[in-house]
Amino acid sequence: MVEWTDFERSTIQDIFSKIDYAVVGPLALSRCLIVYPWTQRYFGKFGNLYNAAAIMGNPMVAAHGLTVLRGLERAVKNMDDIKNTYFELSVLHSEKLHVDPDNFRLLADCLTIVLAGQLGTAFTPAIQAAFQKFLAVVVNSLGRQYQ
Amino acid sequence: MLSKYEKELIASIWERLTPVAKDIGSEALSRMFATFPGTKTYFSHLDISLRSPHLLAHGKKIVLALVEGSKDISSLTTTLAPLQTLHAYQLRIDPTNFKLFSHCMLVTLACNMGDRFTPVAHAAMDKYLSAFAAVLAEKYR
């Protein structure tokens, strides 16, 4: 069971209440596809990913970015049982989608950087630490059902 | 692999940050200490509280090295030779930590540059920091 301090809990709730999922999700996913181009291997059916501009304008990337953020919200609402919250999603990513779990960490890093860009100096070291702890738990839970 | 455009972009970012080297450097270090507490073990001899004189001085040193390296990225091994020796024989920082610092530097850049830290700039900078870290660790063994 993950122990959350009051500061960590309120930080996570606060961040997710403030961000626009339809903006942050697409920004994070497109950044991941641009900065770590090998992640594009999972998106063969998404059409034009030829360059940064194409990726950032791709509607399928945007839609999927939103899906990812909505998925993250489930952990935000169940911080005391993220492991079980993501049981099925973990199986899905392993058995059906065959995604290398290292990629979860890459996307998490890009999401952190997008958030940093949005919040600026309000994204203090302490808030960053709380947010990254949350994402680390998410990433770990998504990788748990891989066998 | 860094293109000519990316090298120029990296050099211009670091040139613009030179006047605030101590602020950028100490911020990146503070982020790293908060997010990855194990990294603090290398700094038991310094006061690493937020914006302490030690932290500002140390942050400045690191950023100025990054600035210097960015002026001629193809010659990183030559530019960083003294730092390679320092890290290999004296500091002996486990190279995994370079990745952690690089990530926190990217976050610092994002916070301070906002929209100007575009995905393309991010990718270029990530590649530069990776190359820098690899050169630093070259003499380890």
Side-chain angles (χ1 to χ4, degrees):
Chain A
M1 235 288 285
V2 181
E3 301 280 342
W4 303 102
T5 64
D6 289 341
F7 172 78
E8 287 166 343
R9 280 183 200 274
S10 60
T11 296
I12 299 306
Q13 300 305 315
D14 188 52
I15 288 175
F16 279 85
S17 71
K18 272 203 300 241
I19 58 177
D20 184 344
Y21 293 4
V23 167
V24 168
L27 284 178
L29 182 58
S30 51
R31 193 167 279 249
C32 187
L33 296 171
I34 293 166
V35 176
Y36 309 111
W38 55 92
T39 57
Q40 293 170 25
R41 74 189 301 282
Y42 301 108
F43 297 94
K45 302 208 169 92
F46 272 36
N48 186 1
L49 301 177
Y50 190 60
N51 54 32
I55 291 170
M56 299 204 58
N58 185 311
M60 291 183 80
V61 171
H64 196 67
L66 175 58
T67 302
V68 167
L69 261 277
R70 290 208 179 112
L72 269 178
E73 190 182 51
R74 292 171 53 194
V76 175
K77 295 190 161 136
N78 289 287
M79 282 177 73
D80 288 317
D81 197 9
I82 295 178
K83 193 170 67 177
N84 281 319
T85 303
Y86 284 141
F87 183 92
E88 278 115 8
L89 270 176
S90 179
V91 173
L92 174 78
H93 283 77
S94 158
E95 302 298 302
K96 185 154 172 267
L97 304 174
H98 307 294
V99 177
D100 182 339
D102 273 348
N103 292 282
F104 304 146
R105 199 184 34 85
L106 297 180
L107 180 55
D109 283 351
C110 284
L111 180 57
T112 305
I113 286 169
V114 164
L115 199 66
Q118 300 240 311
L119 299 181
T121 43
F123 195 57
T124 63
I127 289 177
Q128 177 187 347
F131 188 67
Q132 295 214 214
K133 176 177 167 179
F134 170 74
L135 287 182
V137 174
V138 166
V139 165
N140 183 272
S141 304
L142 275 176
R144 271 193 83 96
Q145 303 311 324
Y146 280 65
Q147 290 160 16
Chain B
M1 255 181 16
L2 282 163
S3 68
K4 184 163 168 288
Y5 171 74
E6 285 174 316
K7 287 183 187 174
E8 286 166 8
L9 182 58
I10 292 161
S12 75
I13 291 174
W14 286 116
E15 201 200 327
R16 220 175 319 126
L17 292 174
T18 307
V20 289
K22 67 180 195 305
D23 306 291
I24 295 292
S26 63
E27 185 183 327
L29 284 166
S30 294
R31 289 183 181 286
M32 185 182 72
F33 297 142
T35 311
F36 308 108
T39 57
K40 291 191 288 188
T41 57
Y42 291 98
F43 293 87
S44 49
H45 60 295
L46 292 183
D47 168 14
I48 54 172
S49 56
L50 213 61
R51 295 190 69 81
S52 75
H54 282 168
L55 202 62
L56 288 167
H58 200 72
K60 183 176 178 186
K61 256 193 286 192
I62 297 177
V63 169
L64 290 183
L66 287 166
V67 168
E68 205 48 42
S70 76
K71 290 178 180 163
D72 188 2
I73 295 177
S74 22
S75 306
L76 269 182
T77 310
T78 317
T79 314
L80 298 181
L83 281 175
Q84 283 180 318
T85 308
L86 180 72
H87 284 74
Y89 300 114
Q90 251 183 277
L91 302 178
R92 289 176 292 188
I93 297 171
D94 189 307
T96 335
N97 296 287
F98 298 153
K99 284 206 181 99
L100 304 181
F101 179 75
S102 297
H103 169 73
C104 290
M105 178 53 79
L106 292 173
V107 173
T108 303
L109 293 175
C111 284
N112 286 279
M113 291 173 63
D115 285 339
R116 281 179 305 135
F117 195 57
T118 61
V120 170
H122 173 173
M125 193 55 79
D126 191 25
K127 287 193 275 186
Y128 172 62
L129 294 176
S130 305
F132 197 98
V135 168
L136 270 187
E138 248 170 28
K139 289 191 178 141
Y140 273 48
R141 54 178 178 172

